[in-house]
C-alpha cells in the first residue's frame, strides 16, 4: 500500500527546488512532526536529504540499489501498473500472494514485489532460484474483460515488456524464447509464470496474475545452483554493470502498461506481433518441440496474432504450437 513515506519521497524526487515542511504538511494533511519523522526515516535508509531553514528539504542523492516499497512507488510513472503495491523482504512466492490480494478484490495493476522468495516457482511445478539482493521478483494482477482463451497471450505481452525494458536499461540485446523466457547471450535471465483464476461459473476470467523473475545482480555463475549454471545468467554478468532494480522494475511496468493496453484494445497481438518477433530468438531457427504427445523438430517461423508458435515441420507441414504443456529447445541445447 502507498504510505506517506512513498508520497513524500515522490514529492521530493519530483521537485527541483526545496520543498518546505509546511507544503508537505498542507498537501498530505499531516503534522510537522509526522513530516519530520518520515524525513528522518528516509535519512536512516540512506537517502541524502538536505534541510535548510526557511527553505525546506531537498533530495540530494538516493542510496545505491535501494529496493523498498517507497523507493519503487516514488519512481513509477504509470497510470495503473504497480500503483497498488505490496513489498516483502521475503515471501514464499509472489504469485500466490498476488492471487490472494486479487481474491480480496484488490485492483487491476496491483503488484507484489519481493526481495527474496523461499519457494519461487516456474511452470509445471518447477522451482525458480530466488536468493535475496540479486533479482527482481514480482507479480502483477490484471482483470481482463475478454474471454478466457485469450489469457495465454498475457504471457507474451509480459515477455515483450521485460525484453524491451532490459534493452532500454542495460543496452544488452534481450531475446525471447517463446513463449516466456528472456535470454541474453543465449542464457536465461528471466522466467514468467502466468496463472488464471475463473469465475465460479467457469465462463469468465476473474483475474490473471503474471509473475516475473529477472536475474539482475548475480556476480558470477557460481551464484546460481549447479543444475542451472550452464543455462542461467544475470544482467550484471552479461553487462558488467550493477543494475538498479527499482529503475528496471519501473521500466518493466511502464512497458507492460503500454503493451497491455494496446493488446486489450484488439484482444490479440496484432499491434505487438512485429515487436515480439523482432525479439524472438526462435525466428527462422531450428527448434525442437518437447510435446508430451511426442517430440518433433522443425523451423520456427514466428507467431500468429493469437500467440501460437508457427513451426514448419520437416515434412513441410505447418503446425501451430500452443503454449502450455510444451517446451521449446534449440536443436543442440537450450536455444
Ligand atoms: P522451458 O520452456 O525452458 O523448459 P519453462 O518455461 O518451462 O522452461 P520456467 O517455468 O520458466 O521454465 O522456469 C523453471 C526452470 O528454469 C527450472 O526448471 C530451472 O531449470 C530454470 N531456473 C530456475 N531458476 C532459475 C533462475 N533463477 N534463472 C534461470 N533459470 C532458472
Amino acid at each position: 500500500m502507498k504510505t506517506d513515506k512513498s508520497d513524500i519521497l515522490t514529492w521530493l524526487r519530483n521537485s527541483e527546488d526545496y520543498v518546505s515542511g509546511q507544503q508537505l504538511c498542507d498537501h498530505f494533511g499531516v503534522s510537522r512532526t509526522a513530516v519530520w519523522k518520515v524525513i528522518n526515516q528516509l535519512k536512516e535508509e540512506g537517502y541524502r536529504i538536505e534541510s535548510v531553514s526557511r527553505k525546506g528539504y531537498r533530495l540530494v542523492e538516493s542510496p545505491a540499489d535501494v529496493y523498498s516499497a517507497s523507493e519503487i512507488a516514488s519512481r513509477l510513472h504509470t497510470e495503473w501498473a504497480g500503483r497498488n503495491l505490496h513489498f516483502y523482504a521475503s515471501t514464499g512466492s509472489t504469485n500466490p500472494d498476488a492471487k490472494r490480494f486479487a481474491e480480496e478484490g484488490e485492483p487491476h495493476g496491483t503488484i507484489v514485489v519481493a526481495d527474496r522468495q523461499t519457494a519461487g516457482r516456474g511452470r509445471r511445478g518447477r522451482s525458480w532460484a530466488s536468493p535475496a539482493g540479486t533479482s527482481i521478483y514480482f507479480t502483477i494482477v490484471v482483470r481482463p474483460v475478454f474471454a478466457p482463451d485469450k489469457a495465454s497471450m498475457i504471457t507474451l505481452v509480459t515477455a515483450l515488456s521485460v525484453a524491451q525494458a532490459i534493452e532500454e536499461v542495460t543496452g544488452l540485446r534481450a531475446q525471447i524464447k517463446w513463449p516466456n523466457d528472456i535470454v541474453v547471450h543465449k542464457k536465461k535471465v528471466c522466467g514468467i509464470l502466468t496463472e488464471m483464476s475463473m469465475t465460479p461459473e467457469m465462463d469468465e476470467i476473474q483475474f490473471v496474475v503474471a509473475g516475473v523473475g529477472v536475474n539482475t545482480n548475480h556476480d558470477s555463475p557460481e551464484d546460481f545452483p549447479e543444475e542451472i549454471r550452464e543455462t542461467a545468467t544475470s544482467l550484471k554478468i552479461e553487462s558488467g554493470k550493477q543494475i538498479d532494480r527499482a529503475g528496471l522494475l519501473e521500466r518493466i511496468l511502464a512497458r507492460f502498461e503500454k503493451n497491455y493496453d494496446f493488446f486489450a484494445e484488439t484482444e490479440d497481438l496484432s499491434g505487438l506481433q512485429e515487436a515480439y518477433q523482432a525479439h524472438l530468438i526462435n525466428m527462422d531457427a531450428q527448434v525442437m518441440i518437447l510435446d508430451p504427445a511426442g517430440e518433433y523438430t522443425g523451423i520456427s517461423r514466428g507467431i500468429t496474432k493469437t500467440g501460437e508458435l508457427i513451426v514448419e515441420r520437416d515434412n513441410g507441414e505447418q503446425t501451430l504450437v500452443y503454449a502450455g504443456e510444451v517446451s521449446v529447445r534449440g536443436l543442440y541445447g537450450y536455444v
Side-chain angles (χ1 to χ4, degrees):
M1 283 290 145
K2 249 188 155 199
T3 59
D4 289 341
K5 193 158 85 181
S6 313
D7 294 334
I8 290 177
L9 185 57
T10 307
W11 189 288
L12 290 175
R13 190 183 294 288
N14 296 336
S15 308
E16 286 181 3
D17 207 355
Y18 290 88
V19 181
S20 76
Q22 194 59 48
Q23 265 177 306
L24 294 170
C25 296
D26 293 346
H27 185 80
F28 296 111
V30 293
S31 68
R32 280 270 186 173
T33 327
V35 168
W36 182 80
K37 271 194 189 152
V38 168
I39 298 283
N40 275 347
Q41 278 174 16
L42 289 169
K43 283 182 178 169
E44 270 165 31
E45 288 169 21
Y47 293 89
R48 275 219 301 132
I49 298 171
E50 201 179 36
S51 336
V52 176
S53 63
R54 281 194 296 277
K55 277 185 163 177
Y57 302 106
R58 193 167 70 92
L59 178 65
V60 182
E61 200 183 346
S62 300
D65 193 34
V66 56
Y67 203 52
S68 65
S70 19
E71 175 67 17
I72 296 163
S74 75
R75 304 214 14 201
L76 294 181
H77 299 286
T78 49
E79 254 169 57
W80 53 263
R83 286 295 168 181
N84 184 36
L85 161 69
H86 299 269
F87 182 90
Y88 297 113
S90 177
T91 191
S93 166
T94 56
N95 269 25
D97 293 338
K99 284 194 242 174
R100 205 177 59 245
F101 291 126
E103 293 285 356
E104 290 167 4
E106 294 206 7
H108 178 72
T110 293
I111 59 170
V112 178
V113 185
D115 182 43
R116 166 175 177 249
Q117 298 185 115
T118 53
R121 282 184 304 126
R123 298 194 303 166
R124 286 163 280 166
R126 294 164 173 190
S127 68
W128 186 260
S130 308
T134 59
S135 309
I136 292 175
Y137 316 111
F138 81 96
T139 299
I140 186 160
V141 176
V142 288
R143 297 187 174 279
V145 287
F146 46 70
D149 61 342
K150 298 186 173 158
S152 61
M153 286 184 266
I154 296 173
T155 304
L156 282 79
V157 171
T158 311
L160 174 62
S161 310
V162 177
Q164 289 170 327
I166 289 177
E167 291 193 342
E168 199 180 326
V169 170
T170 66
L172 292 166
R173 176 142 193 248
Q175 295 182 286
I176 302 171
K177 183 170 86 68
W178 182 90
N180 68 331
D181 290 346
I182 312 294
V183 171
V184 171
H185 301 147
K186 298 198 172 174
K187 291 186 166 189
K188 184 160 164 177
V189 290
C190 167
I192 295 164
L193 175 65
T194 312
E195 296 176 280
M196 172 165 68
S197 167
M198 308 274 278
T199 53
E201 301 75 35
M202 298 297 276
D203 54 353
E204 279 175 39
I205 301 177
Q206 199 180 5
F207 57 81
V208 174
V209 298
V212 176
V214 187
N215 301 328
T216 316
N217 287 327
H218 302 66
D219 290 307
S220 77
E222 281 69 50
D223 294 344
F224 291 99
E226 209 175 332
E227 53 297 356
I228 58 170
R229 226 165 261 170
E230 292 291 307
T231 52
T233 192
S234 78
L235 297 175
K236 185 176 180 182
I237 294 173
E238 299 306 321
S239 69
K241 285 183 285 201
Q242 180 83 12
I243 308 297
D244 164 31
R245 286 181 293 168
L248 177 57
L249 177 56
E250 185 277 316
R251 285 290 84 207
I252 295 174
L253 292 169
R255 291 286 189 168
F256 181 81
E257 179 172 291
K258 198 157 164 256
N259 290 333
Y260 183 88
D261 283 344
F262 212 32
F263 151 67
E265 228 169 77
T266 55
E267 301 189 0
D268 67 21
L269 301 172
S270 46
L272 301 172
Q273 189 180 20
E274 208 175 302
Y276 187 93
Q277 289 186 159
H279 287 90
L280 190 61
I281 197 164
N282 320 102
M283 196 70 192
D284 297 322
Q286 288 216 292
V287 286
M288 165 120 68
I289 306 297
L290 307 179
D291 187 326
E295 298 178 9
Y296 56 92
T297 57
I299 295 177
S300 137
R301 297 294 184 197
I303 59 163
T304 65
K305 285 187 174 18
T306 45
E308 292 85 24
L309 188 70
I310 304 165
V311 175
E312 209 173 275
R313 304 275 286 260
D314 296 340
N315 62 10
E317 246 174 58
Q318 269 202 351
T319 303
L320 296 186
V321 187
Y322 295 82
E325 292 303 299
V326 170
S327 284
V328 178
R329 292 280 179 272
L331 228 42
Y332 303 105
Y334 173 61
V335 284

